[in-house]
Amino acid sequence: MKEGAVLLVGAESSTWAPLQLELEAKGFAPEVVTQADDALAIALAGRSDVVVADLGAKVNLELELLGRFRKAKPELPVIITTAGGTAKAAIEASKLGAYAYLTKPFDTLRLVDLVASAAVPTRAPNQNSQPEAIIADGLVGFSVPMQTLYKELGQAARTDWNVLIMGETGTGKELVARAIHEHSDRANQPFVPVNCCAIAESLFESELFGHEPGSFTGARGRRIGCFEQAHKGTLFLDEIGDLDAAMQVKLLRVLQEKRLRRIGSHSDIAVEVRVIAATNRDLEGQMQTMEFRQDLFQRLGVLMIKTPGLREHLEDIEPLAKEFLQRIAAETGRNYPSLEPKAFEFLRAQLWPGNVRQLENVIRRAFQPADNGAIESTHVRAAYGRAAGIGMQPGAEGRRYRVLLGKARSGEVRNVLRLVIQDAESALISEAIAFTEGNQARAASLLGMGRTTLRSKLRKLGLLDSNETGSSDDVGL
């Protein structure tokens, strides 16, 4: 690798030591300074290719320093590392043009890779304005897939272009849409969400564009449609893949002309709206079958963001679960419970076809019986079994199996068939017990197995105490 000068600003020399060693091993020449004025003088003298700034928890000072660097030498990439990061600071760093914004703790080797990327001399001049991670309101997790999502979110928030969010049900597409809006220049304007599959086709045009009095039966007064409500702001069209052909044409016209006509009106109204659409459908496949217009896809998907499935970032299950527990405890007025380590182990071992929404449902179900201040693995096992079918969409099983087969090919898992059978059996048995209100005899009869066999399987699933005898028909759920 070509040697490059890296300026490390703000921390004591001992703090930078691990990073210095890694940078030197990669062929870089790091230099440490503790004063902002000294750092600016070195940068203006052309003695640095990349700047890494760390002022501890003094986020405002870091942002001030970043602004000074951007004004004095805008082409110089600046990476901010901080122990006091907030969503607001991350967004501000993005707008000021930070190459990356990392909150502690972070992987030193990852920071070295960022320095290497920033130091590439052929990089386009404006590329250093891309933030590495934006912490979006409501979104939880700092896995690599989530950091990629935050980066794309930050890029979208700095533009005024339409966005198409694609992802499975339960992956937080509306949260992403709201975060883009709240971190954009439209943040003080309306955010209007519309679920395209929750409105009857006969009412959808009125819902979107509005109507005049008497324009159809039941139209007693003027209605201001969602486009007008979102004027100067953001219109979020969820489940856009469910829009029928006629409405696709009318929506395309408004997007092209930025004008609409209420039902029953003879004049057009100018609207200035950013549209963010979302879908869990394969729009490219729908375009092939002529179910979705290609020109509408191009209008909506100026920027495209994919929300990752939970199985792609299982390491975020712990912070997600803790966030849900805090939320539920506040809602119910109960004490904040802890999750036993074995409960986390079970949660991380599942495939989560319903994604984050399913995880929240499981945590809510497991919360109810946990009256001793701790949620045990038996609680989450039972809750997962009851919620196993939530969030499933056509084709979700196929996607799930393809993920498993891919992991088998890479050596991450073995005995895929056994895993799938065990998962299905766990879900079915748990559901049978819930369906029969805990009556083992009736559950065994429905499942077509003997009570002894059922009890053995319940013990393996953690739904029955290993010391319990066969005298009771009920499982204590």
Side-chain angles (χ1 to χ4, degrees):
M1 177 182 294
K2 184 179 178 180
E3 183 173 276
V6 182
L7 188 60
L8 308 178
V9 186
E12 298 297 329
S13 298
S14 58
T15 304
W16 289 121
L19 179 60
Q20 283 182 277
L21 291 173
E22 293 294 345
L23 288 171
E24 289 168 354
K26 294 289 185 179
F28 287 99
E31 180 179 0
V32 177
V33 295
T34 58
Q35 300 298 319
D37 290 340
D38 294 340
L40 285 165
I42 292 171
L44 288 172
R47 288 165 43 198
S48 59
D49 298 309
V50 182
V51 175
V52 181
D54 185 344
L55 300 181
K58 301 174 183 177
V59 178
N60 290 336
L61 294 179
E62 287 181 330
L63 295 176
E64 180 185 340
L65 177 61
L66 172 60
R68 294 176 68 186
F69 267 109
R70 296 294 294 159
K71 184 176 181 179
K73 200 164 186 179
E75 75 280 4
L76 182 64
V78 179
I79 298 171
I80 298 291
T81 68
T82 182
T86 64
K88 183 178 179 180
I91 297 301
E92 188 61 25
S94 168
K95 290 182 177 179
L96 288 172
Y99 182 85
Y101 184 93
L102 299 181
T103 56
K104 296 179 180 178
F106 53 79
D107 185 351
T108 299
L109 294 180
R110 175 169 170 74
L111 179 53
V112 172
D113 288 341
L114 280 171
V115 170
S117 175
V120 175
T122 57
R123 179 173 43 80
N126 292 331
Q127 211 168 333
N128 61 351
S129 64
Q130 297 179 355
E132 176 62 19
I134 299 298
I135 310 170
D137 297 346
L139 295 168
V140 177
F142 269 97
S143 61
V144 171
M146 289 303 292
Q147 290 201 34
T148 299
L149 177 63
Y150 298 148
K151 183 173 182 177
E152 292 174 347
L153 187 159
Q155 292 169 345
R158 292 198 310 277
T159 75
D160 208 29
W161 299 338
N162 293 337
V163 181
L164 179 60
I165 305 170
M166 297 172 290
E168 298 172 23
T169 293
T171 52
K173 295 187 289 295
E174 183 169 347
L175 286 177
V176 171
R178 287 185 180 275
I180 292 171
H181 171 76
E182 289 167 6
H183 296 157
S184 74
D185 291 339
R186 296 176 181 263
N188 294 325
Q189 301 299 328
F191 176 88
V192 180
V194 179
N195 190 323
C196 296
C197 67
I199 303 171
E201 290 183 12
S202 59
L203 299 176
F204 199 84
E205 185 175 359
S206 171
E207 183 74 18
L208 231 55
F209 308 136
H211 63 251
E212 296 292 348
S215 54
F216 56 85
T217 303
R220 297 176 181 174
R222 171 178 289 173
R223 175 179 176 80
I224 303 300
C226 293
F227 260 99
E228 285 186 79
Q229 294 174 37
H231 185 59
K232 300 292 186 181
T234 302
L235 178 65
F236 174 55
L237 299 176
D238 199 7
E239 308 296 353
I240 192 69
D242 292 284
L243 208 59
D244 68 31
M247 280 306 303
Q248 289 181 37
V249 174
K250 292 175 181 178
L251 175 60
L252 178 63
R253 176 182 175 271
V254 175
L255 293 178
Q256 289 174 331
E257 300 179 9
K258 299 186 183 302
R259 302 181 71 82
L260 62 83
R261 182 174 295 184
R262 299 190 194 116
I263 299 174
S265 175
H266 300 290
S267 58
D268 288 347
I269 299 170
V271 287
E272 202 283 290
V273 175
R274 182 188 200 175
V275 175
I276 301 178
T279 183
N280 64 351
R281 292 180 177 269
D282 177 12
L283 291 189
E284 292 184 352
Q286 287 186 270
M287 285 190 288
Q288 295 288 334
T289 59
M290 309 298 288
E291 295 176 82
F292 199 85
R293 296 181 62 96
Q294 186 172 14
D295 46 6
L296 179 57
F297 179 86
Q298 298 298 335
R299 284 283 176 178
L300 292 172
V302 180
L303 292 176
M304 291 192 285
I305 294 176
K306 182 182 182 300
T307 52
L310 184 54
R311 60 184 170 277
E312 299 173 53
H313 57 114
L314 294 173
E315 59 267 47
D316 289 326
I317 280 182
E318 185 167 347
L320 281 165
K322 289 179 178 178
E323 170 70 18
F324 295 144
L325 285 174
Q326 287 182 336
R327 200 179 297 172
I328 298 165
E331 290 172 5
T332 59
R334 288 170 54 179
N335 292 331
Y336 173 74
S338 61
L339 265 168
E340 289 189 343
K342 285 188 177 180
F344 276 123
E345 289 177 17
F346 174 83
L347 293 174
R348 283 191 292 265
Q350 308 313 308
L351 293 176
W352 300 106
N355 297 298
V356 176
R357 187 178 300 161
Q358 183 187 8
L359 174 63
E360 181 177 9
N361 187 280
V362 168
I363 296 299
R364 285 185 178 278
R365 287 177 178 269
F367 182 90
Q368 296 306 317
D371 53 7
N372 62 349
I375 295 178
E376 303 171 1
S377 62
T378 53
H379 297 138
V380 295
R381 284 175 182 270
Y384 181 85
R386 293 179 187 179
I390 292 174
M392 296 294 288
Q393 295 292 323
E397 280 295 324
R399 290 192 297 270
R400 176 188 179 204
Y401 296 153
R402 285 194 293 275
V403 170
L404 265 181
L405 291 169
K407 289 187 175 182
R409 181 173 58 190
S410 65
E412 293 181 58
V413 298
R414 295 180 180 179
N415 300 321
V416 170
L417 181 60
R418 179 175 57 82
L419 286 174
V420 171
I421 291 173
Q422 286 179 345
D423 189 50
E425 183 181 65
S426 170
L428 182 59
I429 289 175
S430 297
E431 194 61 42
I433 291 296
F435 184 75
T436 60
E437 298 181 345
N439 189 297
Q440 295 174 29
R442 287 162 52 202
S445 176
L446 290 175
L447 293 167
M449 65 174 65
R451 283 181 59 194
T452 302
T453 302
L454 175 61
R455 294 177 70 81
S456 174
K457 291 182 179 294
L458 288 170
R459 288 193 182 94
K460 289 180 181 178
L461 294 174
L463 299 179
L464 191 67
D465 192 290
S466 59
N467 297 319
E468 188 177 333
T469 66
S471 58
S472 173
D473 281 341
D474 296 330
V475 176
L477 294 177

